Structure formats: C-alpha cells, structure tokens
Amino acid sequence: MNKEDLTAIIVVPVSTAIGAMLALTGSMHGHTIDRVPLMAACVAAIFGLQWIAFVPAYIFRTEKFYDITGSVTYISAIVAALAITPVIDARSVLIAAFICIWAARLGFFLFLRILRAGEDSRFANVRGRFFRFLMAWTLQGLWVTFSLAAGLAAITSKHKLPIDALAIAGACLWISGFAIEAIADAQKNVFRKHAENKGKFVASGLWSWSRHPNYFGEIILWTGIALIALPVLSGWQYATLASPFMVTLLLTRVSGIPLLEEAADKKWGGQPEYEAYKKSTSLLVLLPPRRG
C-alpha cells in the first residue's frame, strides 16, 4: 500500500467524523424525528448519497456524475429538511430557494462542461484507485455538509423569527454573489466557444478584474446564506457559521485556486501576456486592473 492510499484511508473516517460533529452542533435546539436530530439525519443522507454514487462510478471508472451528484445532494438535503421540519417560515423558504437555485445552475453548468471535455483532469490518477476515489466522494460529502451547515441549522431550528434586516442584507449578498459567479462562468464559456481562443486564457469581462471571479462570487453567496441564518441560531449552532470560512479556505488554500494557478503557470507561465495579466489582475476579489 502506497502513501497516497494510506492517506485516503485516514481521510475518509476523519472527514466523516468532522461531518458528524458539525451535524451534532447544528442539531442543538433543532427539531427531531423519532428522537433523531433532523439536521443529523440530513448530514447522514448527504454522506450516504456520495457513497452510493461512488459504487457505479468506481465500477465504470468515471467521474462524469461527480459534480451533478453534488448538486443533487444539495437540493435533496435542503428540500428534505424543509419538507420534514414541522414549522416552516419565510426565512427557511428563502434559504432553501437560494440554495436550490444555486445548486441547479452550477450542477447543470458543470455537467455540460464535463460532457464536452470528456473527463475531469482532477481524477486522472484517482478514478481507478479505490481508496483515493472513495476519499474524493467522501470529501464532497464534507464539502456539502460545511456549505449547507448554517442553512440546515436555521431551517431545522425550533427558533423562528420573521424576516429582518440581517435576512435582507444576506439576501442582497447572495444575489450579488450568485450574479458574479453566473456571469463569470458564462463569460468563460463564451470565450472558450470561439475557435481563435483555443489554448488561450480568458482575461476579459469579470476575468479582467479577478483571476477567479466565480470563486469570489461563491464565497459571497455562502456568506449571504450564513447571514440570513444567523438570527435564529444559538449556542453550539453558531459553529455552523464556519460554513463561509470553510468554503473560503477550501477554495483559496486547498482544492480551488492553488490547483488552477499551478495548472495555469505550467501552461502559460513565462509568456509575456500571461505574466502581465497576473501582475495586473487581483487573485480573487474583484478589483480594477492595476496599471504599470
């Protein structure tokens, strides 16, 4: 057994344990089903869906349904929580609607992208390795859990409040973040459709203000969800507010920007246009291009 497989064997139970702890903290002051905390049941279903999808994915050595499974999981967990919670209020409906809209758009976008590309390069050395592939699906379960944590805690909470200033502010943040992410994805998609841009990097539109505007939008929209959820949280439920911080950490330090920056440097590093673009363009936050 090599080092990568050993790491994967460790990461799978550790990730599951972290998800369980987040589920338990978010379940405090929340509704239960036959004495089982509703939020904990949702988190169990989140991980369960990933492991079920892993089986055919491993058998057929494919990652084509990885991202769409994540999106379906987001929608399934949030709709189940909303449907089963005894008391439904406007705040819960707002959170659920925002998350479902985001997951449906992004899932469809990513699914079409991988169908066109034929494969996801992230899985090139993983799809045929049982433990490493299982780790990828388990980490997706943890990612979904962290992203949904504050929203799930608010929906399943026994404490309900009318829409207030924080909910309105959070909604404005979510709309802004969603618009940034969707526009950035659309601009990149249009850029890649033109044959003359094959092999080139996108540096127009929002991509001239940030090298990763879609990630910036995602961070903003999850911060909005956390802000909407905040007023109805209490005690240990506040731990679920780690959601936007973990999304930021993962996108900027783990699986998002570092991998894409490394790949871009290998492909275009040393080219004058690319080096000038890196020098003048913000890494994440939307900022006017630097001059000189």
Side-chain angles (χ1 to χ4, degrees):
M1 183 177 295
N2 58 36
K3 183 178 179 180
E4 289 80 8
D5 288 338
L6 182 59
T7 299
I9 291 174
I10 295 172
V11 168
V12 168
V14 169
S15 299
T16 306
I18 293 173
M21 287 189 290
L22 191 60
L24 290 176
T25 57
S27 295
M28 300 295 179
H29 313 292
H31 288 285
T32 61
I33 308 172
D34 294 330
R35 299 184 181 180
V36 177
L38 178 53
M39 179 168 173
C42 289
V43 172
I46 287 170
F47 279 90
L49 284 172
Q50 308 316 303
W51 295 329
I52 290 171
F54 159 76
V55 175
Y58 177 73
I59 292 173
F60 295 104
R61 302 292 195 271
T62 180
E63 72 284 359
K64 288 185 178 180
F65 301 101
Y66 183 81
D67 289 319
I68 196 66
T69 297
S71 294
V72 169
T73 302
Y74 276 106
I75 295 171
S76 299
I78 212 72
V79 169
L82 191 66
I84 300 172
T85 299
V87 180
I88 300 175
D89 64 343
R91 188 185 306 269
S92 297
V93 172
L94 184 64
I95 290 172
F98 280 165
I99 291 173
C100 287
I101 291 170
W102 169 81
R105 187 210 71 84
L106 186 61
F108 183 69
F109 171 79
L110 294 176
F111 185 60
L112 289 181
R113 187 176 71 178
I114 195 170
L115 286 181
R116 286 194 296 266
E119 66 174 5
D120 188 330
S121 59
R122 295 174 300 172
F123 295 89
N125 299 316
V126 175
R127 66 175 72 90
R129 307 285 291 277
F130 181 88
F131 292 111
R132 293 182 67 185
F133 203 30
L134 177 61
M135 178 182 72
W137 287 88
T138 303
L139 287 175
Q140 177 160 259
L142 184 61
W143 173 278
V144 174
T145 298
F146 263 115
S147 302
L148 288 183
L152 276 177
I155 291 173
T156 60
S157 176
K158 293 179 181 178
H159 184 208
K160 302 296 183 182
L161 290 173
I163 294 295
D164 51 16
L166 280 178
I168 294 173
C172 291
L173 270 181
W174 185 91
I175 292 170
S176 299
F178 180 80
I180 291 170
E181 184 178 51
I183 291 170
D185 285 340
Q187 289 176 338
K188 192 171 189 177
N189 192 41
V190 170
F191 177 85
R192 287 179 169 175
K193 283 183 177 180
H194 293 285
E196 64 269 22
N197 293 328
K198 185 176 182 179
K200 297 180 180 180
F201 59 91
V202 57
S204 56
L206 294 180
W207 299 86
S208 66
W209 284 52
S210 168
R211 302 207 296 276
H212 302 280
N214 53 336
Y215 287 163
F216 178 63
E218 185 155 339
I219 291 168
I220 293 298
L221 70 84
W222 284 115
T223 301
I225 293 293
L227 199 58
I228 298 171
L230 176 59
V232 297
L233 303 181
S234 60
W236 282 103
Q237 286 181 319
Y238 287 124
T240 63
L241 293 176
S243 172
F245 297 104
M246 286 304 300
V247 169
T248 302
L249 178 65
L250 290 171
L251 289 178
T252 61
R253 294 289 184 266
V254 183
S255 65
I257 290 177
L259 295 180
L260 291 176
E261 286 289 302
E262 181 181 0
D265 287 341
K266 287 181 179 178
K267 190 171 185 179
W268 299 297
Q271 296 182 17
E273 288 185 0
Y274 176 69
E275 296 299 335
Y277 172 68
K278 282 188 67 175
K279 185 177 180 181
S280 65
T281 310
S282 167
L283 178 64
L284 178 65
V285 180
L286 285 174
L287 295 171
R290 294 183 289 270
R291 304 299 179 186

